[in-house]
Amino acid sequence: MISKPTHRPTYYEELRQKGYSRRDFMKFCSMIGAYLGLEASGIAQVANALQKTSRVPVIWLHFQECTCCSESFIRSSHPIVADIILDKISLDYTETLMAASGHQAEAAMHKTMQDFNGEYILCVEGSVPTAEDGVYCCIGGKSAMQILDEAAAGAKAIIAWGSCACNGCVQAAKPNPTRATPIHKLVKGKPIIKVPGCPPIGEVMAGVIVHVITFGRLPELDRVGRPKAFYSKRVHDTCYRRPFYDAGLFVETFDDENAQKGYCLYKVGCKGPMTYNACGVTKWNNGTSYPIQSGHGCFGCSEENFWDNGPIYRQMANFPGFGIEADADKIGMVAAGATAVGIAAHAIATNFRKAKLIDDLIHEGKDAEKEL
Amino acid sequence: MASITHSSPHKLRRVFVWQLPVRVYHWLNALAIVALCITGYFIGNPPALLSGAEASDRYLFGWIRFVHFVAAYIFFFNFLFRIYWGFVGNKYADWKNFIPTNKKFFQEIWQVLSIDIFLKKNKEHMSVGHNALAGLVYFFTFIAFMVQCITGFALYANMSDWWFADLFIWASWLFGHDDFALRNWHHATMWFFIVFAMVHVYLVFYHDYVEGRGETSSIVGGWKFIDEEAFHKDQQDTAEWEVKKKGRAIR
């Protein structure tokens, strides 16, 4: 059970208690400042905020999801990231990582919701099934919808982690049997930050949380509701293979010479040109690599409906309503072919149906020649 | 406009139909559409080129996209100009040629359908400017123009520093922020233009072949030839149109 302490330690104090040096702390501030795109003075702001503010209570709910968001988060490159939020002290409730279980865990969550009403940040991983009164996802005898409603009521802000919470991801793909619904469609009147991706990049997740702590408000969001600092550039525009795209040099199949040479993956279905994410810059696993660098196209995991815009390995998406393997070009070519046949038939028929008219025209012309 | 069966020789009068701005619009539009379709097709389906050259020495796909974007700007502003000309141009350029506003419009559509499309035997339809069916089809193409401009600039917005393209960003919202779908529709609509161009060019040939009234050259020089009887009818229409237009202007 968590009791409300009279003095809540600041982030900095907690980190010092855990044995991090001042130097480690400043390194972390610099790193996260760089990810946030802050100038040098902004890094001091981050350090200042983490030293002065007591930790913000966090409730982290898991619904229809695979926990890959949590996995990504605890693997972000700086250890403080995990310690600062995902430590059992900082995180008041999360099914996956908390020590408590059963009634104890439920009690802890309710205590946080009561004690920090209007102050805590609600992180939601996963979508909420709304079909059949939400029976497809129940925790502790309550449906996901009920839990979300309760938790959202007193939240200061909501962070929707990952594509499940932002757009429903794979379980919301057609035909969406459980009617999996993203968070922003269920909770109204609360600020929501969408951090899509399957999963989102760990550093991006950390950056979003640190931004909220440092500046006490939401980061600037794009038109979809994603933080601009990480989702304002297309994967395509930050791709190191972009010169091959501009040169018109493409991988045709995954086992051809062009693939070996590292040409652009556009023709084997890379969705980088329509996808906004930081993969090309921040990369994954301590900046080791990202899908395109390992020879696989981006499949657009941070975009709406990416599962329904397949096939993954073709550039042109299927055209809705025309069955599988029917892209816009195939339909268009059939339409153009049918038109050509129609035109030919019309041209032939014209010569029969309008024979007299055409004949008259020829005679008129010949008569006119004689008059000359 | 009457449909007449001719056995006696035509007596033709010359009518100035397409004003210079209309002709310039037509050809700019045609060039832009051809450029947009070709480059657009390649953007969707890049050709497989094998080359030993270094990527740094080549900018082929960059050029294809550049041409597409330049042509798109020309296409858009040319289209805006044509809409403007629909309000200040002559009778044959008037916006009322494109939007059915009365019963007569639909009657003429039916006439054109039966005579020119279903080929009523040895009849011809006399129209001076656009016939009603053509007018309506052009109205549909204007809608397709709009769809292409909106979806195209919405896709382009994030590559552009100019506020202009951002004006179209709401199209992404229309598609539920699903840029894949936006792109797919933009690509699919291209095929409307291809099919339209095929039918359009064929019908120009058809009219010149069956009627011999200078259909093809009219879009170069602006002149068409028309039967004496239909000519007088058209003169009357023009006079009425001018009176109405002046009336509108005064009000």
Side-chain angles (χ1 to χ4, degrees):
Chain A
M1 293 281 277
I2 298 162
S3 58
K4 191 177 183 176
T6 43
H7 168 74
R8 283 192 284 143
T10 65
Y11 286 99
Y12 181 62
E13 282 166 355
E14 280 193 355
L15 290 170
R16 288 308 295 266
Q17 276 168 20
K18 282 175 185 300
Y20 287 102
S21 66
R22 171 84 187 165
R23 192 181 178 81
D24 289 330
F25 173 71
M26 288 312 293
K27 273 189 196 166
F28 166 75
C29 293
S30 311
M31 184 204 77
I32 213 78
Y35 281 131
L36 284 168
L38 301 177
E39 54 183 351
S41 63
I43 292 162
Q45 263 181 291
V46 173
N48 201 24
L50 294 180
Q51 284 177 94
K52 284 189 177 156
T53 46
S54 49
R55 67 168 192 88
V56 178
V58 174
I59 294 177
W60 186 310
L61 298 174
H62 297 253
F63 299 133
Q64 288 179 300
E65 47 90 339
C66 71
T67 317
C68 74
C69 302
S70 297
E71 290 287 345
S72 173
F73 190 65
I74 58 176
R75 276 158 187 73
S76 67
S77 51
H78 203 286
I80 289 183
V81 170
D83 270 351
I84 207 168
I85 310 295
L86 273 188
D87 189 271
K88 62 183 182 298
I89 298 167
S90 289
L91 199 64
D92 296 287
Y93 179 89
T94 180
E95 284 94 340
T96 320
L97 294 165
M98 64 191 165
S101 64
H103 292 296
Q104 268 190 331
E106 294 291 314
M109 179 165 79
H110 281 106
K111 179 122 183 55
T112 304
M113 279 161 54
Q114 273 168 15
D115 290 350
F116 301 103
N117 191 26
E119 284 176 59
Y120 63 88
I121 292 176
L122 176 64
C123 296
V124 185
E125 199 175 332
S127 58
V128 174
T130 54
E132 326 294 344
D133 293 328
V135 295
Y136 298 110
C137 180
C138 292
I139 301 154
K142 284 183 200 159
S143 72
M145 189 67 237
Q146 285 170 317
I147 298 169
L148 178 66
D149 277 343
E150 275 176 35
K156 183 182 174 194
I158 299 173
I159 303 178
W161 286 142
S163 294
C164 296
C166 295
N167 57 46
C169 204
V170 67
Q171 62 272 27
K174 287 183 189 110
N176 192 0
T178 64
R179 222 182 310 133
T181 311
I183 303 311
H184 68 277
K185 289 189 179 162
L186 297 170
V187 178
K188 300 288 172 203
K190 290 279 171 188
I192 298 177
I193 309 170
K194 291 190 200 167
V195 188
C198 193
I201 303 169
E203 284 77 7
V204 167
M205 298 172 77
V208 170
I209 288 218
V210 170
H211 187 287
V212 174
I213 294 165
T214 307
F215 300 106
R217 57 185 151 83
L218 303 194
E220 197 185 346
L221 304 178
D222 71 358
R223 64 199 149 93
V224 191
R226 304 173 291 198
K228 270 189 179 171
F230 305 107
Y231 293 92
S232 63
K233 291 195 193 83
R234 300 185 303 167
V235 170
H236 189 53
D237 292 334
T238 51
C239 181
Y240 77 101
R241 297 195 188 202
R242 180 61 186 264
F244 293 112
Y245 174 87
D246 287 333
L249 297 170
F250 298 102
V251 171
E252 301 290 327
T253 57
F254 282 108
D255 55 355
D256 69 1
E257 202 189 325
N258 295 356
Q260 277 180 12
K261 286 178 179 164
Y263 286 176
C264 173
L265 296 157
Y266 181 68
K267 286 181 83 173
V268 285
C270 181
K271 306 291 190 288
M274 282 84 68
T275 304
Y276 294 82
N277 210 334
C279 300
V281 180
T282 308
K283 301 191 181 174
W284 293 77
N285 304 320
N286 280 324
T288 306
S289 181
Y290 72 115
I292 293 169
Q293 199 173 334
S294 21
H296 187 291
C298 161
F299 72 47
C301 75
S302 56
E303 292 299 314
E304 301 278 325
N305 302 342
F306 72 100
W307 287 108
D308 286 330
N309 281 289
I312 286 173
Y313 297 110
R314 275 221 320 263
Q315 188 45 43
M316 290 307 301
N318 281 336
F319 202 76
F322 284 87
I324 48 167
E325 299 285 297
D327 63 34
D329 283 336
K330 281 185 186 153
I331 297 160
M333 279 172 196
V334 170
T339 308
V341 171
I343 286 172
H346 194 273
I348 292 163
T350 300
N351 281 299
F352 291 107
R353 305 284 297 173
K354 308 281 186 187
K356 190 167 173 298
L357 269 179
I358 296 162
D359 221 35
D360 285 350
L361 210 61
I362 292 164
H363 284 299
E364 268 178 48
K366 284 188 176 157
D367 290 346
E369 272 173 35
K370 277 175 202 159
E371 278 173 34
L372 286 173
Chain B
M1 278 159 235
S3 48
I4 317 155
T5 317
H6 296 272
S7 48
S8 59
H10 293 75
K11 193 165 185 198
L12 296 174
R13 298 289 294 259
R14 201 163 72 148
V15 189
F16 186 65
V17 181
W18 311 125
Q19 293 165 292
L20 182 66
V22 173
R23 284 174 280 145
V24 170
Y25 154 78
H26 173 271
W27 288 111
L28 264 183
N29 198 35
L31 278 176
I33 289 175
V34 169
L36 284 164
C37 285
I38 293 172
T39 54
Y41 184 82
F42 282 138
I43 291 168
N45 305 276
L49 297 173
L50 284 171
S51 164
E54 287 287 327
S56 55
D57 290 336
R58 297 161 52 102
Y59 196 62
L60 178 71
F61 213 55
W63 280 113
I64 288 177
R65 293 172 73 246
F66 180 72
V67 170
H68 194 78
F69 302 144
V70 169
Y73 275 115
I74 293 172
F75 176 75
F76 178 78
F77 287 107
N78 194 40
F79 174 41
L80 276 195
F81 169 78
R82 181 63 186 86
I83 292 173
Y84 162 73
W85 201 256
F87 294 93
V88 299
N90 71 7
K91 186 187 74 167
Y92 309 107
D94 196 280
W95 66 272
K96 286 201 167 180
N97 287 295
F98 305 104
I99 301 169
T101 44
N102 52 36
K103 210 176 153 195
K104 220 177 106 193
F105 199 111
F106 288 103
Q107 282 168 345
E108 200 195 332
I109 289 178
W110 177 245
Q111 270 182 13
V112 177
L113 267 178
S114 61
I115 292 169
D116 288 332
I117 306 301
F118 300 118
L119 297 170
K120 201 174 200 178
K121 208 165 185 181
N122 293 322
K123 295 270 187 188
E124 61 180 326
H125 179 82
M126 285 290 167
S127 58
V128 186
H130 298 297
N131 69 49
L133 181 63
L136 185 66
V137 171
Y138 292 144
F139 178 62
F140 295 143
T141 64
F142 290 159
I143 290 172
F145 288 5
M146 270 171 54
V147 170
Q148 282 313 64
C149 290
I150 291 165
T151 54
F153 279 115
L155 286 168
Y156 180 70
N158 283 294
M159 289 174 247
S160 168
D161 288 332
W162 193 24
W163 53 265
F164 174 78
D166 288 343
L167 295 176
F168 298 87
I169 206 105
W170 51 268
S172 176
W173 172 83
L174 271 190
F175 284 86
H177 296 301
D178 181 347
D179 280 3
F180 304 114
L182 192 65
R183 179 178 187 276
N184 211 5
W185 279 99
H186 187 70
H187 195 84
T189 311
M190 169 191 76
W191 284 98
F192 172 83
F193 286 80
I194 294 172
V195 169
F196 170 84
M198 291 167 71
V199 175
H200 177 72
V201 171
Y202 166 71
L203 283 175
V204 168
F205 281 39
Y206 164 88
H207 282 290
D208 239 356
Y209 179 62
V210 174
E211 297 162 2
R213 302 196 289 116
E215 183 90 10
T216 315
S217 71
S218 73
I219 202 60
V220 180
W223 299 94
K224 271 192 183 180
F225 299 89
I226 186 78
D227 276 46
E228 188 84 53
E229 199 183 324
F231 174 76
H232 290 302
K233 174 84 180 55
D234 189 58
Q235 292 268 297
Q236 258 178 17
D237 285 353
T238 308
E240 278 171 33
W241 177 83
E242 272 166 1
V243 169
K244 263 191 212 162
K245 183 141 180 118
K246 266 183 199 148
R248 276 208 298 270
I250 288 161
R251 257 185 283 139

